[in-house]
């Protein structure tokens, strides 16, 4: 029997074969969460005109000199400048205008006296503190000047970037798009949820689980129907999906059984390779490309835990790479095991676990449920994968282990 491929070797293969989809121009809110793929320069300055940062009175600072609580300066108020005011009249010596936050500074005025320093007068105002020249005025371009770089290529577009792009007049922006991922379950025993399974049938859990995982990883997801273990139907279904897919994920039919049709049919095509990877769960793995566009395809094993762990190990980094992300892998933490765990020799075990963090920030972890790759409920109770290296066959209570916390991106 050939040597098992290591997780790293398989990952290397997968990641070097992937193509990053071309940048796409999207409306601002659709760009949220994606990486900007262009340098966006400000077409206008921000602020776009001098304006008041306070509700108060636009004055010439010199006119307020010497004002105190007991000896206020009194100025006539010759008008109001609300926000949105187009052509405010100017301020000349010895008068002032009432001004609101964000309203344009009138010509002649060099500062704003906040309303809190005054009696709030409408026709005449008593000013109790002198203004400093320039005080409470937001200067044109002090945030960003015309021609300055507003958002650079490679920056994640979050709320502040969306806001800035809007503020500088951009309705659309070039981003690294979400890869369109098609998820397909294979297996003649599968029925879709909502239908009552007959004898020997089971409800398809994988297409839902993998679709959710792909979406969580940042993909745009399409769940295609269930495909039975029949070569012609499988090939037909895959061909149909190639039109809309940047990436295809199948589950089931990749082991050594008599009806493992995914492996049989795709091996014949010659562009998809089926290997055995030194891991548990998830030993049988298929990866390759399909069709004229060389669309990448992952053929994951059918057991739900195998499928999801394989997704975590191979597909999630692939989707992140397609999104242009720099960090492909989750951060692992070191934890003390609360229970001893055994692991098969020569295979890296990903054991479902519960990760705890104490008040001092120390981590501990314990396995949840057994090692069986059909134990989906245990995975649903887990919040981490405990990673036990290939050469380790037993960890004792109190030993340190590497743990991958399974945090949801949207959580
Ligand atoms: P396979 O990889 O096709 O040999 O399937 C391995 C095991 O996973 C079998 O017990 C299948 O019934 C089960 N299985 C395969 N596909 C799914 C699925 N989509 N949802 C739930 N269980 C599945
Ligand atoms: Mg099967």
């Amino acid at each position: 029997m050939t040597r098992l491929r290591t997780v790293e070797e398989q990952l290397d293969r997968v990641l070097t074969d992937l193509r990053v989809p071309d940048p796409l121009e999207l409306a601002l809110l659709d760009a949220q969460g994606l990486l900007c793929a262009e340098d966006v320069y400000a077409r206008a300055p921000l602020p776009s005109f001098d304006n008041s940062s306070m509700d108060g009175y636009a004055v010439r600072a010199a006119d307020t000199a010497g004002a105190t609580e007991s000896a206020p300066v009194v100025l006539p108020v010759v008008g109001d400048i609300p926000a949105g005011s187009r052509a405010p009249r100017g301020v000349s010596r010895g008068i002032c205008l009432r001004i609101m936050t964000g309203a344009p500074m009138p010509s002649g005025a060099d500062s704003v006296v906040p309303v809190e320093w005054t009696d709030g007068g409408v026709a005449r105002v008593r000013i109790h503190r002198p203004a400093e020249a320039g005080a409470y005025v937001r200067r044109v371009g002090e945030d960003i000047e015309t021609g300055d770089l507003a958002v650079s290529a490679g920056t994640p577009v979050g709320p502040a970037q969306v806001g800035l792009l809007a503020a500088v007049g951009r309705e659309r922006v070039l981003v690294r798009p979400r890869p369109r991922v098609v998820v397909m379950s294979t297996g003649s025993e599968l029925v879709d949820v909502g239908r009552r399974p007959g004898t020997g049938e089971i409800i398809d859990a994988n297409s839902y689980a993998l679709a959710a995982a792909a979406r969580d990883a940042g993909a745009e997801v399409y769940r295609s129907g269930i495909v039975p273990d029949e070569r012609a139907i499988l090939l037909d279904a895959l061909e149909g999906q190639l039109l809309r897919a940047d990436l295809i994920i199948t589950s089931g039919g990749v082991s050594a059984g008599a009806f493992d049709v995914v492996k049989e049919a795709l091996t014949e095509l010659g562009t998809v390779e089926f290997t055995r990877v030194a891991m548990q769960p998830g030993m049988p793995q298929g990866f390759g490309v399909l069709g004229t566009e060389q669309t990448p395809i992952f053929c994951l094993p059918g057991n739900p835990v195998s499928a999801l762990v394989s997704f975590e190990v191979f597909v999630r980094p692939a989707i992140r790479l397609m999104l242009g992300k720099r960090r492909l892998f989750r951060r692992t933490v070191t934890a003390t095991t609360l229970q001893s765990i055994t692991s098969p020799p020569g295979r890296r075990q990903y054991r479902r676990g519960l990760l705890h963090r104490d008040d001092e920030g120390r981590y501990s972890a314990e396995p949840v449920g057994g090692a069986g790759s059909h134990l989906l409920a245990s995975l649903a109770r887990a919040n981490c994968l405990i990673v036990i290296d290939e050469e380790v066959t037993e960890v004792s209570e109190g030993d340190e282990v590497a743990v991958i916390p399974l945090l949801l991106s949207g959580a």
Side-chain angles (χ1 to χ4, degrees), residues 18 64 97 122-123 148 201 206 268 302 308 371 383:
L18 282 178
T64 66
L97 286 163
V122 177
D148 279 356
E201 293 183 330
N206 290 353
E268 279 169 31
L308 275 177
N383 65 1

Side-chain angles (χ1 to χ4, degrees), residues 186-189 229 251-254 259-261 302:
T186 73
S188 294
E189 73 279 31
D229 293 318
S251 71
V254 298
F259 299 96
D260 283 327
V261 165

Side-chain angles (χ1 to χ4, degrees), residues 76-357:
V77 181
V78 299
D80 284 335
I81 317 174
S85 164
R86 301 252 159 83
R89 52 178 293 189
V91 168
S92 49
R93 196 164 165 187
I95 62 165
C96 70
L97 286 163
R98 196 158 67 137
I99 191 166
M100 309 306 150
T101 305
M105 283 300 286
S107 62
D110 59 15
S111 48
V112 171
V113 178
V115 67
E116 293 80 0
W117 298 2
T118 73
D119 66 353
V122 177
R124 285 185 335 145
V125 63
R126 296 157 76 87
I127 295 171
H128 300 288
R129 279 163 72 171
E132 255 175 57
Y136 302 110
V137 179
R138 302 157 168 170
R139 291 279 168 219
V140 60
E142 78 177 19
D143 192 12
I144 193 164
E145 300 274 10
T146 304
D148 279 356
L149 189 57
V151 178
S152 58
T155 305
V157 180
Q161 290 72 28
V162 167
L164 178 58
L165 288 165
V168 300
R170 286 291 296 257
E171 286 174 89
R172 307 174 70 77
V173 64
L174 205 59
V175 289
R176 296 254 153 238
R178 298 186 186 283
R180 294 162 304 165
V181 172
V182 167
V183 179
M184 185 185 287
S185 286
T186 73
S188 294
E189 73 279 31
L190 302 177
V191 298
D192 201 359
V193 62
R195 275 197 44 210
R196 189 199 293 269
T199 314
E201 293 183 330
I202 61 166
I203 296 173
D204 164 29
N206 290 353
S207 70
Y208 286 94
L210 292 169
R215 182 187 289 169
D216 187 67
E220 187 177 316
V221 181
Y222 304 96
R223 226 174 41 82
S224 88
I226 295 162
V227 175
D229 293 318
E230 286 174 45
R231 189 177 176 283
I233 301 181
L234 171 70
L235 291 177
D236 241 36
L238 284 172
E239 192 168 328
Q241 295 302 332
L242 282 176
L243 287 174
R244 62 171 173 183
D246 296 311
L247 175 76
I248 297 179
I249 306 171
T250 67
S251 71
V254 298
S255 336
F259 299 96
D260 283 327
V261 165
V262 175
K263 183 173 173 181
E264 277 168 38
L266 298 187
T267 300
E268 279 169 31
L269 294 183
T271 57
V272 184
E273 182 194 42
F274 291 86
T275 19
R276 289 165 14 108
V277 180
M279 63 192 279
Q280 183 196 58
M283 186 167 66
Q285 295 289 332
F287 176 75
V289 295
L290 283 186
T292 47
E293 301 276 320
Q294 308 255 295
T295 307
I297 178 169
F298 285 90
C299 302
L300 308 182
N303 271 307
V305 177
S306 307
L308 275 177
V309 169
S310 303
F311 180 95
E312 179 62 34
V313 174
F314 301 114
V315 190
R316 191 174 180 276
I319 290 175
R320 291 181 65 85
L321 185 132
M322 292 173 92
L323 282 162
K325 305 248 189 208
R326 248 175 261 152
R327 198 162 61 78
L328 302 185
F329 304 104
R330 296 190 200 262
R331 289 199 179 86
T332 57
V333 301
T334 303
T336 316
T337 39
L338 299 174
Q339 268 176 48
S340 64
I341 309 171
T342 56
S343 180
R347 289 166 68 178
R348 185 177 302 177
Q349 187 176 199
Y350 294 91
R351 191 67 182 269
R352 282 67 72 197
L354 271 180
L355 181 65
H356 313 279
R357 190 172 186 267

